[in-house]
Amino acid sequence: MQELNFPKFEYRFKSTENKVSIFDVIRKKFIILQPEEWVRQHCVHYLINNKKFPKTLINVEKELTINGLKKRYDIVVFNSDGSIHLIVECKSHSVQIDQTTFDQIARYNLVLNASYLMVTNGLNHYYCEMDMKSERYSFLEDIPNYTKI
């Protein structure tokens, strides 16, 4: 797999029927290792180990409905009150992040109302802080570490 621009972590792999799977600590099961999943797992470990978000506040690959269409977000981090702190959109390392990617996460945020957005292809990471009152966002160098609310 491609080396990514995240800290190194210990991963659990298994191989069955010529397919390699990686263990997801959030879903608590092995997931077939695709390039996007490789990025998602790095990001999950980054959020847990570097940003100190509790595993219990992280959700991976859940369905949501936007304008009657079923979509799946990659990673959502909740606040302890159940509101959404962060949405992460993960792409394969081979996918260029462009306006389409930002439009996708913006559509998700119309429903989810997160305070922060992160878009990554594992090589490049973009972070935004949302200001819902003035309907604006500002780019950040990084997302803040977890603080209990």
Side-chain angles (χ1 to χ4, degrees), residues 73-114:
Y73 59 71
D74 285 309
I75 303 169
V76 161
V77 178
F78 291 90
N79 292 309
S80 53
D81 67 2
S83 63
I84 297 179
H85 181 72
L86 168 71
I87 306 169
V88 182
E89 180 57 33
C90 300
K91 298 294 184 189
S92 166
H93 66 86
S94 62
V95 173
Q96 196 75 355
I97 294 175
D98 57 17
Q99 189 61 48
T100 307
T101 312
F102 286 102
D103 291 347
Q104 178 183 5
I105 199 168
R107 279 192 303 276
Y108 292 178
N109 204 37
L110 288 173
V111 173
L112 299 173
N113 296 314

Side-chain angles (χ1 to χ4, degrees), residues 2-3 17 27 33 39 54 56 80 87 92 94 110 115 139:
Q2 166 79 33
E3 186 154 329
E17 300 176 19
R27 292 177 274 185
L33 186 56
V39 173
T56 55
S80 53
I87 306 169
S92 166
S94 62
L110 288 173
S115 303
F139 281 94

Side-chain angles (χ1 to χ4, degrees), residues 25-41:
V25 296
I26 302 301
R27 292 177 274 185
K28 295 183 173 67
K29 65 181 183 177
F30 282 92
I31 307 296
I32 293 176
L33 186 56
Q34 301 286 342
E36 185 177 316
E37 191 62 43
W38 183 238
V39 173
R40 186 169 23 251
Q41 291 306 312

Side-chain angles (χ1 to χ4, degrees), residues 10-11 15 19 24 39 41-42 47 58 67 74 77 83-85 92-93 104-105 107 112 118 120 133 140 147:
E10 292 292 318
Y11 295 99
S15 184
K19 292 187 179 176
D24 182 323
V39 173
Q41 291 306 312
H42 273 77
L47 293 171
I58 300 174
N67 296 329
D74 285 309
V77 178
S83 63
I84 297 179
H85 181 72
S92 166
H93 66 86
Q104 178 183 5
I105 199 168
R107 279 192 303 276
L112 299 173
M118 175 180 175
T120 182
K133 287 183 181 137
L140 305 172
T147 54

Side-chain angles (χ1 to χ4, degrees), residues 8-12 45:
K8 304 251 183 291
F9 300 106
E10 292 292 318
Y11 295 99
R12 288 175 44 201
H45 284 270

